Amino acid sequence: MGSQVTLTTLYKMKEKGEKIVALTAYDYPFAKMVDESGVHMILVGDSVGMVVQGESSTLPVTMDEMIYHTRIVSKAAGHAMIVGDMPFMSYQASIEHAIANAGRFLKEAGAAAVKLEGGRAVSETIKAISGAGIPVQAHIGLTPQSVHQMGGYRVQRNEEQLMADALEIESAGAFSVVLEGIPSEISEKITKALAIPTIGIGAGPHCDGQILVLHDLLGLNDRHLPKFVKQYANLLDDAKTGIKQYIEEVQAGKFPAKKHCY
Ligand code: KIV
């Protein structure tokens, strides 16, 4: 599968036109599965709020929760780069607060980088965090932490604004950028304009890499899936089948059988 993925690996992949494959993970067993499958980057996303905690947005997720999830994911990773997602209000209030919180992901949780949402509005923050030696991945387009400001989870189509955001966050020192909910033609132009890798989600095929929420890809939740998701497995149904069989066997006195007894 190869050695540990670093920033150099990602830059070389962009240069050679090799696609970067990223997924989210939130705990040890799933992170191990993702890492051993050969994914290049694991994002411990604040989507944990919606996927694992049952919240209706990512806004309630706290720094301590993100540190916990990132720490248990990091233990599983031997190959993939681990990126910790900075939760809502962990980097907006002041640059000092943002640097301190970003540092916790590396110091306490074993991440190699952090991600934060926003374009030009957070470029000074990106500059300061990367200036402190912490690699920063930016995230523009549909930024879920701004759901109320965007008036819902809406595709972002303002090419001029998106390009200006992308160019400025690159100048500020971001090592990569997630493009979410952006028409393919705009993502293609941004990907060509930037030297840093673009990782798309709902942003078409021209990005340097792709990311999906793991639980969506595996069919592990029954929430409404956005158009951009492809479900590659149906683990929810498989799991329910197994659990129902267990219930039937316990009630019928078939489990535990002799071989399960001391
Ligand atoms: O929180 C998350 O999982 C994300 C990805 C969907 C990019 O930000």
Side-chain angles (χ1 to χ4, degrees):
M1 185 196 313
S3 52
Q4 179 73 54
V5 173
T6 63
L7 298 192
T8 312
T9 320
L10 302 177
Y11 293 138
K12 280 193 183 149
M13 288 179 78
K14 172 155 182 147
E15 229 174 82
K16 291 187 200 159
E18 287 172 14
K19 293 284 185 186
I20 298 164
V21 185
L23 270 175
T24 67
Y26 315 101
D27 63 20
Y28 179 82
F30 280 101
K32 199 158 162 30
M33 203 189 302
V34 170
D35 186 69
E36 289 177 358
S37 302
V39 155
H40 303 108
M41 180 188 291
I42 299 179
L43 171 70
V44 188
D46 64 353
S47 50
V48 70
M50 297 170 85
V51 173
V52 174
Q53 298 174 341
E55 301 286 358
S56 59
S57 78
T58 59
L59 302 184
V61 177
T62 67
M63 259 309 289
D64 286 344
E65 288 165 352
M66 288 308 303
I67 293 297
Y68 167 76
H69 285 283
T70 307
R71 188 165 51 80
I72 59 178
V73 164
S74 297
K75 284 185 192 168
H79 167 69
M81 170 185 283
I82 305 297
V83 181
D85 205 6
M86 299 193 71
F88 182 56
M89 289 318 290
S90 67
Y91 57 94
Q92 290 91 341
S94 74
I95 286 185
E96 291 71 22
H97 190 229
I99 297 174
N101 280 328
R104 287 188 65 194
F105 279 96
L106 274 63
K107 208 172 166 69
E108 297 173 35
V114 297
K115 176 173 84 58
L116 52 78
E117 295 182 9
R120 282 161 293 168
V122 290
S123 64
E124 286 305 315
T125 308
I126 292 173
K127 203 179 207 169
I129 296 175
S130 54
I134 302 166
V136 185
Q137 181 170 55
H139 181 163
I140 63 171
L142 192 170
T143 45
Q145 291 176 14
S146 308
V147 56
H148 296 302
Q149 200 172 41
M150 292 182 301
Y153 297 103
R154 295 175 186 284
V155 174
Q156 302 296 300
R157 302 176 186 276
N158 188 328
E159 182 175 336
E160 209 178 305
Q161 302 280 329
L162 288 165
M163 185 60 85
D165 280 336
L167 292 172
E168 188 160 323
I169 52 107
E170 177 174 69
S171 306
F175 76 90
S176 164
V177 58
V178 170
L179 305 181
E180 177 165 357
I182 296 176
S184 306
E185 317 81 68
I186 302 179
S187 303
E188 184 176 16
K189 286 183 191 165
I190 293 175
T191 299
K192 284 187 176 149
L194 298 186
I196 59 173
T198 60
I199 309 292
I201 175 161
H206 305 294
C207 300
D208 298 307
Q210 297 289 329
I211 184 163
L212 281 176
V213 167
L214 179 65
H215 289 51
D216 293 346
L217 173 150
L218 292 179
L220 257 176
N221 59 47
D222 48 12
R223 72 187 178 113
H224 165 74
L225 293 182
K227 174 182 167 154
F228 60 76
V229 173
K230 179 167 177 185
Q231 196 181 306
Y232 287 86
N234 195 342
L235 295 197
L236 193 58
D237 283 355
D238 290 351
K240 279 186 185 166
T241 303
I243 294 165
K244 279 184 188 149
Q245 195 178 348
Y246 167 66
I247 294 170
E248 280 166 20
E249 290 193 3
V250 169
Q251 291 183 330
K254 283 189 184 163
F255 178 83
K258 229 179 175 169
K259 66 177 175 186
H260 305 118
C261 299
Y262 298 106

